[in-house]
Amino acid sequence: MLIISENEEVIVNVDNCTNIYIHKEYGRILCEKTVNSPHCELGRYDTKEKARRAFGILVNAMLDGKQVFKLPGNDDERLNTSLRNNGGFRTLQTNGKTK
């Protein structure tokens, strides 16, 4: 599988990666390559929650056997949703009221 970064500046072949993960402190998705090189950033998001959602979309694409996948951008509406167990998305909405 080929992964295109959210900013469209990097293409990574998954066969050449040992790990793809979310950075512990920041909303970034990183890839460790099998060759001696620094980590490769695949996506940068405003929040860690958005990074988790983007990572979930990536995992679903891998499970579906997609050959090429582009990570969603920071402003993608799918990142303002929650992933359901059936693979679909539910929009997160509030009524605007506070207690």
Side-chain angles (χ1 to χ4, degrees), residues 31-63:
C31 168
E32 289 181 9
K33 298 179 184 177
T34 55
V35 294
N36 273 340
S37 63
H39 299 272
C40 178
E41 184 175 290
L42 297 176
R44 182 180 293 252
Y45 301 93
D46 291 341
T47 65
K48 192 169 181 182
E49 188 58 35
K50 279 188 174 185
R52 280 191 199 117
R53 290 183 186 133
F55 192 80
I57 295 169
L58 169 61
V59 169
N60 280 339
M62 290 176 129
L63 293 173

Side-chain angles (χ1 to χ4, degrees), residues 56 60 63-64 81-90:
N60 280 339
L63 293 173
D64 289 343
T81 60
S82 64
L83 188 60
R84 292 184 171 185
N85 289 338
N86 64 3
F89 293 92
R90 177 177 56 91

Side-chain angles (χ1 to χ4, degrees), residues 9-96:
E9 294 182 1
V10 176
I11 296 176
V12 173
N13 185 339
V14 174
D15 294 339
N16 298 330
C17 295
T18 56
N19 291 316
I20 299 173
Y21 62 96
I22 300 170
H23 190 276
K24 292 178 185 177
E25 298 174 17
Y26 306 105
R28 300 185 317 169
I29 297 176
L30 301 172
C31 168
E32 289 181 9
K33 298 179 184 177
T34 55
V35 294
N36 273 340
S37 63
H39 299 272
C40 178
E41 184 175 290
L42 297 176
R44 182 180 293 252
Y45 301 93
D46 291 341
T47 65
K48 192 169 181 182
E49 188 58 35
K50 279 188 174 185
R52 280 191 199 117
R53 290 183 186 133
F55 192 80
I57 295 169
L58 169 61
V59 169
N60 280 339
M62 290 176 129
L63 293 173
D64 289 343
K66 300 230 186 241
Q67 295 298 314
V68 178
F69 176 77
K70 182 184 178 302
L71 277 164
N74 190 53
D75 296 329
D76 191 302
E77 67 181 34
R78 294 176 293 173
L79 301 184
N80 293 322
T81 60
S82 64
L83 188 60
R84 292 184 171 185
N85 289 338
N86 64 3
F89 293 92
R90 177 177 56 91
T91 302
L92 298 176
Q93 296 178 346
T94 62
N95 60 9

